[in-house]
């Protein structure tokens, strides 16, 4: 595919999410993480979507369930929350 990719997208991932991405990448013999992310986006957009409700935060979305406190839950969180 020889298409122009002029936009850069930065995404922060937890160690578990990164491991899941790498597992997908290696299982499907993809050359880069970026290629794996593009393939997962394609698959996700082809599937059933989610409609966000008012007040939904970015931290409410993730690969793994993180509980009501989002990514700050657990002992490693700042302020012990």
């Amino acid at each position: 595919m020889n298409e122009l990719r002029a936009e850069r997208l930065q995404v922060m991932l937890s160690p578990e999410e990164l491991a899941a991405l790498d597992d997908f990448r290696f299982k499907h013999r993809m050359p880069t993480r970026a290629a794996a992310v593009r393939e997962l986006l394609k698959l996700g957009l082809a599937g059933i979507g989610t409609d966000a409700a008012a007040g939904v935060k970015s931290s409410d979305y993730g690969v793994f369930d993180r509980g009501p406190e989002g990514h700050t839950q657990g002992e490693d969180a700042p302020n012990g929350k």
Side-chain angles (χ1 to χ4, degrees):
M1 209 176 236
N2 194 11
E3 60 191 57
L4 177 63
R5 293 193 175 114
E7 292 293 324
R8 180 179 296 269
L9 177 65
Q10 182 176 350
V11 178
M12 302 296 290
L13 299 176
S14 70
E16 297 87 3
E17 291 169 332
L18 187 58
L21 176 62
D22 284 340
D23 288 348
F24 176 86
R25 173 187 170 198
F26 293 121
K27 179 179 179 183
H28 296 282
R29 300 181 160 288
M30 305 197 91
T32 63
R33 284 178 173 163
V37 168
R38 285 191 296 273
E39 183 65 15
L40 288 166
L41 280 170
K42 182 174 80 172
L43 293 169
L45 290 171
I48 298 173
T50 301
D51 292 329
V56 177
K57 300 176 287 189
S58 177
S59 61
D60 293 334
Y61 294 93
V63 176
F64 303 103
D65 185 18
R66 296 181 174 275
E69 297 299 317
H71 67 282
T72 61
Q73 186 174 359
E75 294 178 348
D76 296 333
N79 302 326
K81 293 182 181 177

